[in-house]
Amino acid sequence: MDKAEFIITLTGIKGLGRRTINKIINQGVLNSLETDETIDYLNSLNLKEVTTKSDLIHANEIAKRTIEICDRENIKISTVLDCNFPKKLKNINDNPAIIYYKGNADCLSDKSIAIIGTRNPSLHGADVSYNISSTLSHRGYTIVSGLADGCDTFAHLGSLDVLGRTIAVMPCGLDTVYPKHNQNLFDRIIENNGCAISEYPPEMIVSKYKFIERDRLQSALAEGVIVVETTLNGGSFHTVNYAFDQNKIVGCYRHDQKYTNLKSVKGNIKLLENDKIMPIYSEETLEQFIGKLDSVFYSQKSEQIEFKLL
C-alpha cells in the first residue's frame, strides 16, 4: 500500500479527523492497515464509533477508487509524507494530510497574496479586486482566491489578464467546478500555469463547513490577505482569523465615504477598527502593504538559505 492509498484510507475511517491522522503519521505508529494490531490501536483512540476490519476494508476500497478517479481526471495527489508537499501547508496548525491538485504545483510555493471578498460586491468593489490583483501580479505575486462569484472571480481575472499566475482553492473535489459557471475560469487558471487545489477527494461535494476549512488554506498559501468587500457576517472573517493565527499580514480596502452605506462594505468598516489590519485606499497605501509583504517573503527566504548553509 503506497503513501497516498494509506492516508486516503485513514481519511475514510469514521471519527478519524485530520489532527489524529497527522499524529498517526508523525509518530509512525502504523505501517499497515491489515493487522489486528491496527484495529486495536484505532479503537484505543476512543473514536465515536468502534472500528472493525470491515470498516478498514471499505475505507481502503474507497481509497483505491479515489486514486483511479484521480488518474482518469488528471488530478495529482501529494501527501504530507512526500517531499513535494507544499511547506506553506505543512507548517500550519491543523494541516491537511493530503492535497489534490490540477496544474502547476510549483506556484504553491510562490510569493503569493490572497485576495478575497463577498460574492455580491459593488461595481466599485469588483473593479478594486481586479485592479489590486493586476497590480500585485505585475509585482510578481501569485494570486490566491476561491473561484467564487464576485471578488474571487475578479481577483483571478485581474491576474490572468496580465498573464499572472493564480491559485484556486476549492471547497469540493476537483472532478467538479464550483460554481459550475466558472468552468472556463477554472480552465484558464490551469492553462496559464496556475493551479487548483483541494484537500477533498473527487466526488466530494460542497458543504458549508468546507468553505470555512478551505479559508485556512487560502491564508496559509499566501504571505498576506487583502479583503476587498465583505458583509458583517461574510466568510472573509474566517480567513482573516486564520491569517492572524498564521501570523500573516492582513489588509482591507477602505472605501470612500459615498460607499459606506452599502451592505457589502459594512464588514470592511468593522475590520478596519482593528489596528492590526492595514487600510488600503490609494496607490501609496497599496505600496506600503506590498513593501511589508516583500519584507516578510524575503526574510523567510534568507532564513531558509541560512538554514541550508548550516
Side-chain angles (χ1 to χ4, degrees):
M1 185 180 298
D2 66 17
K3 290 177 284 189
E5 184 181 336
F6 176 78
I7 292 175
I8 298 170
T9 300
L10 288 177
T11 64
I13 297 173
K14 292 180 180 180
L16 203 57
R18 279 190 305 271
R19 294 183 188 277
T20 305
I21 291 171
N22 275 304
K23 181 179 177 182
I24 291 170
I25 293 168
N26 292 331
Q27 292 181 344
V29 292
L30 294 182
N31 297 313
S32 169
L33 293 175
E34 301 166 353
T35 65
D36 291 338
E37 287 78 10
T38 294
I39 295 173
D40 290 341
Y41 173 79
L42 292 173
N43 286 323
S44 74
L45 299 175
N46 296 318
L47 304 180
K48 290 181 179 179
E49 297 186 35
V50 175
T51 302
T52 66
K53 190 169 185 178
S54 63
D55 292 330
L56 287 178
I57 292 171
H58 180 64
N60 185 240
E61 288 172 348
I62 293 174
K64 289 177 178 177
R65 172 177 165 76
T66 295
I67 293 169
E68 288 174 0
I69 296 172
C70 287
D71 289 341
R72 186 175 70 239
E73 299 287 339
N74 198 29
I75 299 169
K76 307 301 182 185
I77 302 172
S78 181
T79 78
V80 73
L81 295 173
D82 296 322
C83 59
N84 68 341
F85 191 85
K87 288 184 174 60
K88 289 182 178 182
L89 298 183
K90 191 173 184 177
N91 293 334
I92 62 170
N93 291 328
D94 196 18
N95 63 283
I98 190 166
I99 61 166
Y100 303 85
Y101 66 92
K102 280 188 171 185
N104 175 24
D106 289 344
C107 63
L108 300 177
S109 301
D110 282 354
K111 182 174 71 169
S112 302
I113 178 73
I115 299 178
I116 62 170
T118 177
R119 291 172 175 78
N120 299 293
S122 65
L123 291 176
H124 179 61
D127 286 341
V128 168
S129 187
Y130 183 94
N131 292 331
I132 288 179
S133 175
S134 296
T135 298
L136 281 156
S137 294
H138 275 304
R139 299 291 290 270
Y141 277 86
T142 292
I143 306 302
V144 179
S145 204
L147 204 80
D149 289 332
C151 292
D152 288 16
T153 289
F154 285 100
H156 290 303
L157 288 173
S159 175
L160 292 169
D161 287 351
V162 296
L163 304 182
R165 302 207 295 199
T166 182
I167 300 167
V169 186
M170 304 296 291
C172 55
L174 296 181
D175 54 329
T176 59
V177 172
Y178 183 87
K180 190 174 181 179
H181 55 257
N182 267 349
Q183 179 71 59
N184 288 339
L185 179 57
F186 181 94
D187 294 340
R188 278 189 70 189
I189 290 170
I190 305 304
E191 291 163 4
N192 205 60
N193 212 24
C195 189
I197 78 160
S198 177
E199 63 182 315
Y200 305 113
E203 301 187 329
M204 186 71 76
I205 61 174
V206 172
S207 63
K208 185 176 180 180
Y209 79 90
K210 292 187 182 71
F211 286 107
I212 298 173
E213 288 192 323
R214 72 94 179 265
D215 288 343
R216 82 190 196 287
L217 303 188
Q218 290 188 94
S219 171
L221 286 169
E223 271 60 61
V225 174
I226 294 177
V227 180
V228 176
E229 279 190 1
T230 182
T231 60
L232 281 169
N233 60 351
S236 296
F237 280 83
H238 295 297
T239 311
V240 168
N241 287 332
Y242 284 124
F244 284 141
D245 290 342
Q246 297 166 5
N247 296 315
K248 306 291 183 174
I249 300 170
V250 180
C252 181
Y253 184 70
R254 192 180 80 189
H255 291 68
D256 189 87
Q257 188 68 31
K258 63 184 177 182
Y259 297 107
T260 54
N261 286 329
L262 295 176
K263 183 180 178 181
S264 61
V265 175
K266 296 298 184 183
N268 294 54
I269 297 170
K270 180 67 177 177
L271 286 170
L272 288 167
E273 293 174 0
N274 188 332
D275 291 338
K276 294 180 181 178
I277 296 177
M278 291 184 65
I280 298 171
Y281 53 89
S282 63
E283 289 185 10
E284 182 181 357
T285 54
L286 181 58
E287 284 297 323
Q288 290 170 356
F289 185 81
I290 293 173
K292 283 204 168 189
L293 290 176
D294 284 345
S295 176
V296 168
F297 179 77
Y298 290 115
S299 66
Q300 289 174 345
K301 277 291 184 184
S302 63
E303 287 174 7
Q304 291 172 8
I305 292 170
E306 289 174 9
F307 178 76
K308 288 177 182 177
L309 289 175
L310 292 175

